[in-house]
Amino acid sequence: MTDAEYVNIWMRPERPAYGPKPTYSRAQITEAAIRIADAEGLESATMRRIAAEIGAGAMSLYRYVPSRDNLIELMADQVMGEIDVTDMPSGDWRADLTRYAEGLRAMWLRHPWIAAVQRSLPSFGPNQLLLVERLMGVLDVFVPIDENLGLVAMLNGHVEGTVREEISSAEEFRRSGLSESEWMKRSYPYVDRLVKSGEYPIFTKIVMEARQPHLSREDQFRHGLKRVLDCIATALPSTAESPMSAHQGGREEQDGPGAGS
C-alpha cells in the first residue's frame, strides 16, 4: 500500500520491510506522549517534546508515527486498554455494563486530555476492538445488532457527557482559583435575588428542593447510570433480567411496607 492508502495507523506496519532495525517502538512513543499529556495537557505532547522525553531526534519519530493524528490514535487506544473487561460477558448484563461504565469514567478522570480528542471515524485499534467484542457481547444474546449499537451508544453518551462536564467544571474552578464551596458561597447573593424575584419558579424549585445537585460527583454519576440501565432493561426480553437486579428486587419486596408484620 502507498502512504495515501493508510487511513489509520493500524494499517501501517510498525516495522519497515527493509532497512535497519528500529531503535524505538510505537509503544515507547505512545507511553511518553501519555505521560506528557497527563502532566501538561494534550497540546504539550508534541513530537519535539516526546523526542526529548525518550532521548531521540524529533524528526526520527516520524518514521514510527507519521502524523499527530496517528499519535492521538495510538494514545486513545492505549488508554482504552485500561478499562477492565476481563470475563465479560459474565451472564449478568447489568453488572457488566456497570463495571464498564465505571471503568470508562475512571479512565477519563485519569486522562482528562481525552475530552479534547474528537474522533468521528473509528480507528479499530486493538484495545478498541477488544472493548467492542466484550462490551457488545454483553447484550448480543438479547437484541439485534442495531439495537445493541443504540443501547451501547446511550450508555457511552451518559458516561462521556457526565465526565466531560466533571472535567470541564474542575478546570473552571482551577482557573478561577476558587473551590466549589467558595464559588457557591460567592454566587449565593445573586441566586437568592433570583429566587426572591418570583420570576423563575422552576429554577427556584431546583434551588430549594433538588437533592441531586448536592450529591458528590460519583453519586450523581451512579444515579444517572442506574436510570440509563433501567432504560436499557426495557429494551431487553424479560428473560434477560440481571441476577443483581432480581436480588435487589427481592430485597425491596422483603423490606417494603408490611415487611416483618
Side-chain angles (χ1 to χ4, degrees), residues 191-211:
V191 172
D192 185 55
R193 177 154 53 92
L194 292 174
V195 169
K196 288 178 177 176
S197 73
E199 297 177 9
Y200 307 99
I202 299 300
F203 176 76
T204 298
K205 195 170 187 177
I206 293 170
V207 172
M208 304 300 292
E209 300 179 27
R211 292 179 57 251

Side-chain angles (χ1 to χ4, degrees), residues 9 71 147 150 197 206 213 215 218:
I9 190 65
L71 175 64
E147 182 79 352
S197 73
I206 293 170
L215 298 175
E218 186 171 357

Side-chain angles (χ1 to χ4, degrees), residues 247-261:
H247 174 68
Q248 290 174 340
R251 289 187 57 186
E252 287 172 1
E253 288 177 7
Q254 292 174 3
D255 297 339
S261 61

